[in-house]
Amino acid sequence: LYSEKEYQKARDLFSFVYDTFPNDPLGHKAALRVADTYAVKKDVTSLTEARLLYRDFANRYPNDPDRDYALLMVGQTYSARKLRPDRDLSDIQEALAAYQQLINLYPNSDYLSEAEERVHELRELLAEHEWLVADYYRKNKYYLGAVWRLEYIQENYPNFSQIDLVNEQIGNLKTLLEEREAAWKSALRIRANSG
């Protein structure tokens, strides 16, 4: 039924197996399949339901051999919808935490490379967010704030695809700050000498 995309009917049967044999390995697999029937849909409600079921599975069965899959799917339910660096970052952070948990707990997992790839993509989005904030500060002449944001990228996202541009922008902004400080000191000297 699942392969024929009859997700509701498949869900009912998987639920029956899980409810009947909750402590059996087959019951555990059925619990994951229930979550899968929600995850296959990409609407917010289904993804939220799937996420809750995967998270519950990961917490309830810490020694189950499929726990790494559940953690992978927690991350995927957060990142299944289009994530953007100029929006709320909470979904990115939650997905990143789930993938990182999988990487830390299951270094030999079959899902390790997929989780690492997703971590890289999500970290790129977080770095891009910092870049956008720094650019906003720069455009509004809050140069010191822009430098701090850019230095944060250097420290926390050294593999950011635009790191060369970040480094260049830091140099440019520091030059502007030095020029501004020199002009300010010069103005103070002139004022002190004329007064």
Side-chain angles (χ1 to χ4, degrees), residues 9 29-30 49 58 62 73 76 92 95 103-105 118 131 135 139-140 146 163 184:
K9 291 178 183 177
K29 287 203 180 300
E49 186 65 32
M73 294 306 293
Q76 286 189 357
I92 295 173
I103 291 167
N104 293 341
L105 295 177
R118 294 299 293 147
W131 172 260
D135 197 48
K139 286 177 181 173
N140 288 287
I163 198 69
W184 179 72

Side-chain angles (χ1 to χ4, degrees), residues 26 78 84 93 144 161 194:
L26 195 58
Y78 276 112
R84 294 178 37 187
Q93 297 285 6
L144 189 57
S161 63
S194 66

Side-chain angles (χ1 to χ4, degrees), residues 39 114 191:
E114 187 175 350
R191 185 176 222 172

